[in-house]
Amino acid sequence: RAGSELSHYHETYGCFPPAYIADRDGRPMHSWRVLILPFLGQQELYGAYNFDEPWNGPNNRKLASRVGNIYLRSGLESDQVQTTSFVAVVGPQTVWPGSKPRSRKDLGDGAHDTLIVVEVPDGQFLWMEPRDLEFDSMSFRINDGSGRGLGSRLGGARVVSADTTVRTLPDDYDGNKLRAMLTANGGEKIEE
């Protein structure tokens, strides 16, 4: 679901959310997943979230289990309601450069060929945590077992393009193509 919600966020604010909101010292405090809660029908949860404390502060910590399974892949049976199956890939060359937002006009590679959200094996990331996959240290092989890349115990990995196209990439998807799709303005040609 995150694709259309990110699109609605973009329509409302003229950009995608930043990967995180940082404190005065530049430390990540709040995730983009918190910022899109109103677009997921979670206005009450968003209203209860306290932006004056970190994501794991005394008030916010109590909210972690209230999100249900909205950040888990549909069809994935899991009791891990505090975790997410979907993350951003962060880095200066991606749609998610950190605390600065990007808009579709910044995507020189085109909205269809630029990924904004990717699936990772469930249980690795807490949904409120302002942490995602790091482009510079991730694996570009799907379900390689390293815990540093895309994947799902259902096989393959779901991805969402900046134009909200959702597709499942197979385990044997070309790592060079995946790498190219994760850059926002790398100029690579993607042949499907």
Side-chain angles (χ1 to χ4, degrees):
R1 292 176 47 184
S4 61
E5 284 72 14
L6 284 167
S7 183
H8 291 135
Y9 184 101
H10 192 288
E11 290 167 14
T12 302
Y13 296 107
C15 61
F16 294 111
Y20 56 83
I21 295 175
D23 67 10
R24 282 184 234 152
D25 297 321
R27 288 185 304 257
M29 294 276 288
H30 311 289
S31 171
W32 63 272
R33 288 176 291 272
V34 172
L35 298 176
I36 69 167
L37 284 171
F39 299 91
L40 290 161
Q42 297 290 322
Q43 186 63 43
E44 183 181 335
L45 181 57
Y46 182 80
Y49 190 87
N50 185 348
F51 284 93
D52 293 329
E53 68 181 39
W55 68 276
N56 58 353
N59 173 72
N60 293 337
R61 187 174 335 150
K62 297 173 190 172
L63 304 175
S65 62
R66 287 185 39 195
V67 77
N69 62 359
I70 63 171
Y71 287 116
L72 295 174
R73 178 177 174 174
S74 58
L76 186 65
E77 297 300 319
S78 179
D79 58 356
Q80 308 234 9
V81 295
Q82 294 187 24
T83 66
T84 180
S85 300
F86 299 102
V87 299
V89 175
V90 297
Q93 63 275 63
T94 73
V95 176
W96 306 91
S99 62
K100 304 280 189 228
R102 287 197 200 250
S103 72
R104 282 196 184 101
K105 67 179 175 17
D106 299 324
L107 307 181
D109 291 347
H112 182 72
D113 290 330
T114 304
L115 301 181
I116 55 171
V117 176
V118 299
E119 181 180 16
V120 294
D122 57 312
Q124 293 182 340
F125 293 85
L126 297 174
W127 76 269
M128 286 193 311
E129 185 178 12
R131 181 175 70 96
D132 291 276
L133 280 179
E134 297 280 342
F135 183 87
D136 289 337
S137 61
M138 69 178 283
S139 169
F140 295 96
R141 292 186 358 244
I142 297 173
N143 284 315
D144 72 355
S146 70
R148 297 181 309 112
L150 285 63
S152 170
R153 58 187 152 108
L154 298 177
R158 292 248 174 104
V159 297
V160 182
S161 298
D163 68 356
T164 71
T165 300
V166 178
R167 54 194 151 190
T168 301
L169 302 180
D171 288 351
D172 62 353
Y173 194 77
D174 183 321
N176 291 322
K177 286 183 184 179
L178 177 58
R179 181 184 197 88
M181 292 170 73
L182 290 168
T183 62
N185 203 7
E188 309 94 342
K189 297 292 181 207
I190 310 294
E191 302 288 329
E192 286 293 326

